[in-house]
Amino acid sequence: MAESQYFGSQANRLDEIQPSGIRKMFARAQGLEGVISLGIGMPDLMPPQGLLDEMKLSLENTRAHGYTLNSGISALHEKIVAKYKEDYNIDFSTNGVVVGAGGTQIIYTAIYAYTNPGDEVIIPDPGFVYYPTVPMMAGCDVKPIALDEKFQFPIDKLTETVSSKTKLMILNSPNNPCGSVADEATTKAIADLANDHDFILLSDEVYEYIIFDGLKHYPLAKYAPEKTVTVNSFSKTYCVTGWRLGYGIGEKKLMEPLAKLHPFLVANAPSIPQFAISNFMGSPEDYEFRSHLREILEKRRDVVDKEFSKIPGVTVPKIEGSFYAFPKIESDKYRSDNPGYEFSEDIFEKAKVVTVPASEFGKSRWDHFRISFGSADEAKLKEAAERIIQNVE
């Protein structure tokens, strides 16, 4: 029998998509003895005990095992809306909340809900791997903008790039992979552009509570409420990346297209975590855990800044938030067209340390690499730096 013409075939929209290099490095490290993995963006702390207790209770709740409303349970909507009022004095309606299977699902849904083929989508470079890939799949014209030396959006370049075809702009603060936090002036300027030129801001704010040195998070919805869809997640806040629970929030009218498409991708987000988190949010332990997590990660940040700065030919830009560092390679030893990749491969083979080359995050900073200090304690971070020093000198 002749082989089917469809065997092994794929849709044309997948032709230019490459598998995630982050996941590839993560997979390579599995099962290898002595590997220190600084590759995956996953905190290694246990979730708060009170949240685990709520999960156990939810397992015994018959309602928690069935379908929920497409956009999530009302109790969770109410807690999310209350959080934004308390944290930022932003008034949202519960009708403007869509709970999804992680922040990434909300990003995917939003791009397909708001854009048409040929629309322009502006993204940061460097930026999270989803940002160019999903718009490209949707047939959009992706417009990367290289971040400046402080890893902020350069407003002059952004202004030049915005056109009548601009439909959506993706932002991320605190930033993955750069570890930067958008300042208020930049946030306001971007909001003004969106208001003036009538495009949507898709603001990825999943690291909002992981900010160091007394800096503040400035939510875009505060400055452009009619244009901003905020993407958030519980994964990093509570160290539950595998639970796959996030949400989008915005003004009700703006959220309607996202809410309309959402049930055709995911009937509802995982139900049991919804019940558990809605019961946990706003508890004393919730606030305590946020502070606890930030304190631990700030200490790790300090270790990274001190120890990785000792590596010959490597400089560490200021880390303001998230749990990523984005060191720059200035060594003459790595002189290929992609120094970050060359460096990451070298230290993986010689030092058994997993990092991620900057080429996974765009085209503007290939002389950098990313490390996650969410996934390794202070001792492991120091050991990783020492191993690298021994193998690059």
Side-chain angles (χ1 to χ4, degrees):
M1 179 182 293
E3 186 178 275
S4 168
Q5 62 176 315
Y6 301 110
F7 181 79
S9 65
Q10 65 177 18
N12 293 339
R13 70 176 65 91
L14 301 182
D15 289 346
E16 295 183 33
I17 294 175
Q18 300 298 321
S20 168
I22 302 171
R23 285 285 176 174
K24 191 182 299 183
M25 292 296 287
F26 179 66
R28 285 175 67 186
Q30 301 307 296
L32 292 180
E33 187 176 351
V35 169
I36 298 177
S37 180
L38 308 179
I40 199 76
M42 180 174 67
D44 64 348
L45 281 69
M46 281 293 290
Q49 185 58 49
L51 179 55
L52 296 178
D53 292 341
E54 291 293 347
M55 277 291 277
K56 294 174 185 176
L57 291 172
S58 296
L59 288 171
E60 300 173 0
N61 180 351
T62 302
R63 290 179 58 223
H65 292 277
Y67 289 123
T68 73
L69 293 174
N70 294 138
S71 61
I73 64 173
S74 58
L76 184 54
H77 285 203
E78 290 167 4
K79 288 293 184 73
I80 291 169
V81 166
K83 169 199 126 50
Y84 277 89
K85 179 63 174 177
E86 179 182 349
D87 288 353
Y88 308 115
N89 197 29
I90 300 175
D91 291 305
F92 286 119
S93 163
T94 54
N95 291 327
V97 181
V98 176
V99 177
T104 51
Q105 186 247 309
I106 297 296
I107 292 171
Y108 185 99
T109 308
I111 290 166
Y112 273 87
Y114 297 117
T115 67
N116 292 309
D119 286 343
E120 292 180 355
V121 174
I122 296 172
I123 65 169
D125 186 344
F128 181 52
V129 294
Y130 266 55
Y131 300 161
T133 304
V134 180
M136 183 173 62
M137 288 172 59
C140 297
D141 184 4
V142 181
K143 299 288 186 181
I145 294 186
L147 302 181
D148 65 20
E149 69 280 356
K150 294 182 179 180
F151 301 116
Q152 303 277 339
F153 262 109
I155 299 303
D156 55 347
K157 180 63 176 175
L158 177 58
T159 303
E160 293 173 6
T161 303
V162 171
S163 76
S164 60
K165 293 183 178 182
T166 302
K167 186 63 177 289
L168 185 143
M169 177 179 176
I170 304 177
L171 306 95
N172 175 216
S173 178
N175 182 278
N176 172 17
C178 304
S180 57
V181 173
D183 57 45
E184 188 173 23
T186 300
T187 304
K188 284 183 174 179
I190 291 170
D192 289 344
L193 274 173
N195 286 324
D196 292 344
H197 295 274
D198 193 27
F199 60 85
I200 294 168
L201 298 170
L202 187 60
S203 186
D204 183 349
E205 302 180 10
V206 302
Y207 300 97
E208 63 176 333
Y209 293 128
I210 307 174
I211 296 180
F212 311 127
D213 304 325
L215 295 176
K216 289 180 63 177
H217 173 62
Y218 298 100
L220 262 165
K222 187 80 172 176
Y223 306 97
E226 296 180 356
K227 303 296 181 186
T228 303
V229 175
T230 301
V231 178
N232 215 323
S233 170
F234 301 105
S235 294
K236 274 63 176 190
T237 301
Y238 297 139
C239 303
V240 290
T241 54
W243 291 15
R244 306 316 304 141
L245 201 67
Y247 59 91
I249 187 168
E251 293 201 350
K252 178 181 180 295
K253 185 175 179 59
L254 180 61
M255 293 296 292
E256 285 175 354
L258 196 157
K260 183 178 182 179
L261 177 59
H262 169 72
F264 294 97
L265 298 175
V266 178
N268 61 261
S271 57
I272 295 174
Q274 290 191 57
F275 282 84
I277 288 175
S278 67
N279 289 333
F280 180 76
M281 281 183 77
S283 67
E285 191 181 355
D286 180 3
Y287 300 103
E288 292 167 6
F289 187 79
R290 292 184 214 166
S291 296
H292 171 66
L293 178 63
R294 183 174 59 251
E295 289 169 5
I296 288 176
L297 292 174
E298 191 158 13
K299 289 178 181 178
R300 293 183 183 183
R301 185 279 307 263
D302 293 342
V303 170
V304 169
D305 186 50
K306 178 182 178 181
E307 301 299 330
F308 278 72
S309 293
K310 297 176 182 177
I311 300 171
V314 170
T315 58
V316 182
K318 186 176 181 181
I319 308 163
E320 299 175 326
S322 75
F323 42 71
Y324 304 107
F326 202 52
K328 182 178 182 180
I329 302 162
E330 297 177 333
S331 170
D332 290 337
K333 182 178 179 181
Y334 303 98
R335 301 179 64 88
S336 69
D337 292 337
N338 192 344
Y341 178 82
E342 187 181 5
F343 179 88
S344 293
E345 285 292 315
D346 194 33
I347 65 170
F348 178 74
E349 295 295 336
K350 296 177 179 177
K352 290 188 176 181
V353 175
V354 177
T355 61
V356 182
S359 51
E360 290 299 315
F361 306 102
K363 297 181 179 179
S364 69
R365 297 296 206 287
W366 283 15
D367 54 350
H368 288 245
F369 63 97
R370 190 195 77 172
I371 64 171
S372 167
F373 52 89
S375 55
D377 61 22
E378 294 174 48
K380 283 291 185 185
L381 291 166
K382 187 174 182 180
E383 181 184 349
E386 290 171 350
R387 287 192 196 179
I388 294 171
I389 291 170
Q390 293 170 5
N391 285 279
V392 301
E393 286 183 324

